[in-house]
């Protein structure tokens, strides 16, 4: 099982690292050189978990920690998009796909955390590790000559790095793409809804379920809250806490069911034009600014903007189906 570390893992994580120090010459520390105390280990884990661009992933099997991948994010603005990796798996658990699983989980985490680049160093004669890193998309970017001295011998290290171009720069996590999608929906959604009669837009498919009119009203409420979020994250303390709102209550209290569909759509269009404008003018270096979710996880501004589009399209599909609309069982975070 691959999971994020918790403070209760401190003793097991310290034991794991000491085992790795003992059984391999590929790690930084020699046997018995690691002087970390249990209290220091707990503090370090707590610090990591509070940092939006750092984490420790652990592999757990047979009731013990058998491997880890530590992600150490940059501490200054110009390096916050980048992270250094340290990885180790116990020899007896090698060749079981644990290393691959750790890297795959790291990439999922990086997509939510605004990390655009990861890097590591590896001894040039550590061929199994180099093979794994290449398989996971890392490239050799340079060599550190006489970087380490192991058993009295000079050892070179490779610099290896990976840039998440597909996920961050050109693909689904790209802010520019998100803005284009939002502007397209500002044009398409009113045209899609204008063919529906007022009776059709007011029809509730079941008790306590939203009508198409109310679901567009809910999308207005989502726009109101996310517009504030997209503004606040730029000037409030980072990470910005993502505060939820009572979605069903808002729909009821806004009385969308008693408002014409034309007015509700006009409100939605106006709000989303403003959101697109705000997103467009956010400096690129702030795209990775962080939101703290209620479950203790962190996501980037880019990720939240993408999630906003996903939430919009989720409800548009409900109108198209038609499906039972509204209610917490259908709802997403946005």
């Amino acid at each position: 099982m691959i999971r994020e570390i918790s403070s209760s893992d401190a003793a097991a994580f310290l034991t794991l690292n000491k085992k790795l120090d003992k059984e391999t010459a590929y790690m930084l520390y020699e046997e018995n050189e690691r002087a970390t105390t249990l209290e220091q280990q707990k503090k370090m884990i707590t610090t990591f978990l509070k940092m939006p661009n750092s984490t420790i992933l652990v592999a757990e099997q047979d009731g013990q920690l058998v491997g880890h991948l530590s992600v150490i994010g940059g501490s200054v603005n110009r390096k916050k998009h980048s992270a250094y990796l340290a990885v180790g798996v116990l020899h007896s658990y090698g060749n079981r796909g644990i290393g691959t699983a750790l890297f795959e989980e790291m990439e999922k985490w990086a997509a939510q955390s605004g990390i655009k680049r990861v890097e590591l160093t590896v001894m040039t004669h550590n061929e199994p590790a180099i093979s794994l890193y290449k398989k996971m998309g890392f490239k050799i970017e340079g060599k550190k000559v006489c970087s380490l001295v192991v058993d009295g011998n000079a050892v070179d290290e490779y610099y290896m790095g990976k840039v998440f171009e597909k996920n961050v720069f050109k693909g689904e996590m790209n802010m520019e793409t998100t803005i284009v999608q939002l502007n397209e929906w500002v044009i398409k959604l009113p045209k899609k809804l204008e063919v529906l009669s007022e009776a059709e837009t007011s029809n509730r498919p079941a008790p306590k379920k939203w009508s198409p009119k109310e679901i567009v009203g809910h999308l207005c409420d989502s726009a109101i809250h996310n517009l504030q979020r997209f503004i606040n994250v730029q000037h409030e303390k980072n990470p910005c806490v993502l505060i939820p709102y009572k979605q069903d209550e808002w729909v009821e209290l806004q009385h969308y069911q008693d408002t014409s569909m034309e007015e509700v759509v006009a409100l939605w269009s106006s709000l989303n034009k403003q959101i697109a404008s705000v997103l467009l003018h956010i400096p690129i270096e702030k795209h990775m600014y962080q939101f703290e979710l209620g479950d203790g996880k962190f996501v980037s501004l880019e990720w939240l903007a993408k999630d906003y589009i996903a939430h919009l399209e989720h409800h548009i599909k409900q109108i198209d189906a038609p499906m039972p609309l509204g209610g917490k069982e259908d709802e997403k975070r946005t």
Side-chain angles (χ1 to χ4, degrees), residues 42-307:
K42 288 181 180 178
K43 185 175 180 180
M44 183 271 286
I45 292 173
T46 300
T47 300
F48 262 63
L49 294 177
K50 289 181 179 179
M51 297 171 63
N53 63 344
S54 299
T55 193
I56 301 173
L57 302 174
V58 292
E60 184 176 15
Q61 287 194 14
D62 304 324
Q64 63 174 325
L65 299 187
V66 300
H68 77 93
L69 192 158
S70 298
V71 186
I72 308 166
S75 59
V76 298
N77 285 334
R78 292 180 179 181
K79 290 285 290 181
K80 285 182 178 179
H81 71 287
S82 178
Y84 181 83
L85 307 182
V87 60
V89 177
L90 293 177
H91 181 73
S92 57
Y93 286 85
N95 300 315
R96 300 190 188 185
I98 294 175
T100 298
L102 283 166
F103 273 91
E104 289 175 344
E105 190 64 25
M106 178 274 295
E107 294 201 11
K108 294 177 184 177
W109 172 87
Q112 291 190 343
S113 303
I115 295 296
K116 295 176 173 62
R117 169 186 165 83
V118 287
E119 56 193 45
L120 53 83
T121 57
V122 58
M123 297 180 191
T124 56
H125 62 285
N126 189 355
E127 295 181 359
I130 295 170
S131 177
L132 169 64
Y133 304 152
K134 286 183 176 180
K135 183 182 79 170
M136 301 310 300
F138 285 73
K139 296 180 181 179
I140 295 175
E141 299 177 336
K143 181 189 288 187
K144 298 172 66 178
V145 178
C146 196
S147 177
L148 302 169
V149 176
V150 181
D151 296 328
N153 298 311
V155 173
D156 298 342
E157 287 186 300
Y158 286 132
Y159 278 114
M160 298 189 73
K162 179 176 181 177
V163 175
F164 297 115
E165 295 181 353
K166 179 178 179 180
N167 290 336
V168 179
F169 291 115
K170 299 178 182 177
E172 57 182 271
M173 295 300 293
N174 184 276
M175 183 70 82
E176 182 179 353
T177 301
T178 298
I179 296 169
V180 169
Q181 290 176 321
L182 182 56
N183 282 323
E184 288 176 349
W185 276 119
V186 168
I187 296 172
K188 290 191 299 183
L189 185 58
K191 291 182 178 180
K192 177 185 287 286
L193 296 174
E194 67 183 9
V195 301
L196 300 177
S197 68
E198 193 67 23
E200 288 174 319
T201 63
S202 300
N203 179 51
R204 288 173 173 156
K208 297 184 179 180
K209 294 293 182 179
W210 293 334
S211 66
K213 187 188 299 183
E214 288 175 310
I215 210 167
V216 177
H218 164 64
L219 292 175
C220 292
D221 296 340
S222 173
I224 291 169
H225 279 266
N226 280 282
L227 178 58
Q228 294 180 73
R229 292 164 176 170
F230 296 145
I231 293 172
N232 289 342
V233 72
Q234 299 179 66
H235 67 83
E236 289 189 357
K237 182 178 179 182
N238 200 257
C240 185
V241 178
L242 191 68
I243 300 175
Y245 62 101
K246 295 182 179 180
Q247 298 163 353
D248 288 326
E249 287 82 348
W250 270 67
V251 169
E252 181 180 356
L253 295 172
Q254 293 271 44
H255 299 287
Y256 292 118
Q257 188 72 350
D258 303 323
T259 307
S260 71
M261 187 59 148
E262 182 180 2
E263 290 180 85
V264 178
V265 171
L267 175 61
W268 179 86
S269 297
S270 178
L271 287 167
N272 282 278
K273 287 177 182 178
Q274 185 61 24
I275 287 176
S277 176
V278 168
L279 293 178
L280 180 64
H281 291 92
I282 296 176
I284 191 170
E285 64 268 18
K286 294 186 177 181
H287 289 180
M288 65 166 292
Y289 275 27
Q290 302 290 303
F291 286 94
E292 181 179 356
L293 306 182
D295 54 7
K297 302 292 183 180
F298 295 87
V299 297
S300 68
L301 173 59
E302 279 186 334
W303 186 94
L304 191 70
K306 173 189 174 293
D307 190 59

Side-chain angles (χ1 to χ4, degrees), residues 21-22 27-34 149-151:
D21 295 340
K22 180 179 180 180
M27 306 303 288
L28 179 61
Y29 287 100
E30 296 179 352
E31 183 180 0
N32 298 322
E33 187 180 11
R34 189 181 297 268
V149 176
V150 181
D151 296 328

